[in-house]
Amino acid sequence: MLRSFQNPNLYSISKTHFKLLHYFLSNHLCTTTEPTQVPESPDLPNWVKFLDTKHPEAASSDEDFVIPSLAKWVEAPMLKDPRKAVKIPVVEIADTDIDIISKVLKNQHPSPENVAQVLSGIVLDLSNGLVERVLRRFSNEWVPAFGFFTWAKTQTNYRHAPEVYNFMVDILGKAEKFDIMWDLVVEMDQIGERYVSLDTMSKVMRRLARAGRYKEAIDAFRGIERFGVSKDVLSLNALMGALVKERSVELAHEVFLEFKESIPLNVSTFNVLIHGWCKYRNLDVARKTMEEMEKHKFKPDVFSYTSLIEAYCNDKDFRKVAEVLGEMKDKGCEPNAVTYTIIMHALGKAREITKALEIYEKMKMSGCIPDTSFYSSLIFLLGKAGRLKDVQEIVEDMEKQGIKLDVLAYNTLINIASTHSQEEVALKWLKKMEEDSCKPDLKTYAPLLKLFCRKKRMRVLCFLLDHMFKNDIGIEGGTYALLVRGLCMNGKLATACSFFEEMVLKGFAPKDSTYSMLIKELEGKSMQKEKKHIERLMLQARGQEITGNDSAMSNVEESNAQGPCVCVM
DNA sequence: ATAGGGTTAG
C-alpha cells in the first residue's frame, strides 16, 4: 500500500492504478536483460528503491506513444522522472473537512443516530456550501446523510439554510422515508421564517408521486396552506407536473377538473396536461385540451405545439409534423430551438440526414438562434453520418458565436473521433473539455478506453484511468467489461485478468460473454494458472449474485459516492 | 419553468 508512514491516510492508490502502473513498469522498464522484477507489493520504500536503481531514460523510451502535440499533457510526469512515478497515480488526501466527514460517513452505520453519535467528537467550521456538498455525495444514502444533517444542527455558529432542508427532504423522499420526511417538513414549519416554500412542497409531491403514492401527493397539495404555502396556480401546476412526470396524466386531469373552478389557471396548467397526454400517446385528448385552453382564453403556444410535434416525431410521422408546423405558422406561433431540435433529431434517427439538415437551414432562415443542445444533436447526427468535416465546421461556428460546448457535445465529439480511430483528435477534445472546465462523466471515457485498448496504448490507458480517478468518476461494471474485452482482443491478457478480478471484487457480475472470451484467450495461450483463477472468480461472482443483489448495488453506490480511491493489497 | 439528450459488439 502506498502510504506515508507518519500519516497512513496521506497516500492511497487504487488497485486499478497500481496494477496498470505495475504492468506498465514491468513491460517498459524491465527490458530484455531483466525480466519482470517490479516489486509485487506496492510498498512505498521498495518502490522508490526500485525506481532509483532504474535509469530515468529507461522510463522515457516511448514506443507506444506517438502523439507529439498532446504528449506533454498525456504523458504523466512518471514517464520522465521515475521518482514521480510513485506520485502520479497517488492521490494526496489533504484531509479537508469534506474528506474527514466522508470517511466517517462511509462506514456502514446502522442508523442516523449512530452516525450523529460517531460524528459528535468532531468540531468543524461548517457552512451551508460544505453541508450541501456532503449531502450531494450521500444523496443516495439517506442514513449517513440524515445522521450528518442532524449532527450539523448541533454545531455552534451554524444553521441549515432552507435550501439545505429542501435537499434533505428530497433525499428522504428519494429513499421513500416519508414519515421522517414529513417530520422534517413540520420542523421547518416550526422554525418559521417561511422555511417551507413551494420548492419544498414540490419535492414532497414529486417524491410521493414517484413512489406511486399519488393520493398522498394530492393530499399534500390539499393541505399545503398548513405550511404557509399558497394553494394557487403555481402549486397546482407543480402537483400536476409531478403526476404527469410520474406516469399519471389521468390523475393530473382529475386534479385539474377538481380545481379549475376555484383556482385561476394559467397557460402552463394546460401545457402540462397537453404534454402529459402527448407523452402517453393520447393525441386526441391533447387536442381536446388545446380546445379547452382556448375556451379559457389562452392560446396554444410553442410549448403546446412542441409537445404535439414530439409525439408525432416519436411515431416518425413527419407528415403530421409538417402539418403542425403549418398550423403554427397560421396561428403566428414561431417554432423555437427546442422545436427544431426535436424534429431534426428525429429525422436524423430515421436516417433522413438531408431532411434533418434542411431543418437546420430552415431554422437559420427563420432567425431562430441555435443553442448548445441543438448543436449537440446536429453534431451527433453528422458524426453518425460520417461527415467529420461538417462536424468540425459546426464546432467552429459555435466558437464564433460564443456558444459553449457542454458535456453531451464533448462526449459526442470524443465518441466520433474514437470510433474513427482518431486518437489525437479524441484526446484533444478531452483536453479542451478540461480547459473549458466542463466536467466529464463516465460516458466521456468509455469510447476512449475502448480505442486505446484496441491500440494497445497502455500508457494512455493508464493516463485515462488516472484522469477519471481525479475527476471522481467511479468505474462501474460496464467499464470493466469494456476493459477486459478490449484488452483480451489484443492479447493483453495479464491486464485483462487483473481488471476481471477487480470487477468481481467490487461486486460487479461479469457477463457470460466477457467471461468466456477471457477463458478462451487464456486457453489459447495455455495460461492454466490464470484460467483457474478466473474460473474461481466467476464462481464467486455468481455466488454473490444469488445471495446478495443488494451488496452489488451498494458497492456501486459506494464507489460512486466515494470515488475510486481504495487502498489496496 | 410547463417542451429537447444518443449503445452494447457483432
Side-chain angles (χ1 to χ4, degrees), chain A residues 370-394:
Chain A
D371 60 10
T372 300
S373 291
F374 177 87
Y375 279 125
S376 282
S377 276
L378 184 54
I379 290 170
F380 171 71
L381 65 95
L382 286 171
K384 222 172 164 188
R387 296 169 62 158
L388 303 197
K389 241 187 108 209
D390 293 326
V391 168
Q392 189 54 40
E393 244 168 60
I394 295 298

Side-chain angles (χ1 to χ4, degrees), chain A residues 346-369:
Chain A
L347 283 166
K349 275 205 287 201
R351 304 211 170 270
E352 301 265 22
I353 180 91
T354 315
K355 285 189 181 150
L357 292 174
E358 277 167 23
I359 293 292
Y360 179 37
E361 290 305 319
K362 197 174 162 189
M363 178 181 184
K364 282 197 285 197
M365 297 260 284
S366 78
C368 176
I369 311 290

Side-chain angles (χ1 to χ4, degrees), chain A residues 128 159-166 184-201 227 229:
Chain A
N128 279 302
R159 199 170 104 148
H160 288 313
E163 295 73 31
V164 179
Y165 265 101
N166 287 345
L184 200 60
V185 175
V186 170
E187 182 185 316
M188 289 171 78
D189 188 45
Q190 281 161 359
I191 298 173
E193 302 173 47
R194 304 190 140 269
Y195 256 57
V196 181
S197 63
L198 177 55
D199 216 22
T200 320
M201 295 310 290
F227 301 107
V229 178

Side-chain angles (χ1 to χ4, degrees), chain A residues 169-170 173 178 181-182 185 197-224 229-230 232 234-243 246 255:
Chain A
V169 164
D170 197 48
F178 293 113
M181 179 192 77
W182 277 119
V185 175
S197 63
L198 177 55
D199 216 22
T200 320
M201 295 310 290
S202 300
K203 289 186 157 73
V204 167
M205 295 186 294
R206 180 79 191 268
R207 290 303 178 188
L208 286 167
R210 162 149 280 184
R213 300 180 176 219
Y214 299 117
K215 197 177 161 299
E216 287 169 58
I218 298 168
D219 286 342
F221 172 72
R222 290 186 207 282
I224 205 165
V229 178
S230 31
D232 56 10
L234 291 181
S235 45
L236 175 66
N237 290 351
L239 171 64
M240 286 170 56
L243 293 170
E246 306 308 337
V255 169

Side-chain angles (χ1 to χ4, degrees), chain A residues 477-492:
Chain A
T479 319
Y480 283 111
L482 170 167
L483 288 165
V484 173
R485 296 179 66 93
L487 293 164
C488 223
M489 281 190 279
N490 294 292
K492 300 279 180 189

Side-chain angles (χ1 to χ4, degrees), chain A residues 103 112 119 321:
Chain A
K103 259 178 224 164
L119 283 167
V321 171

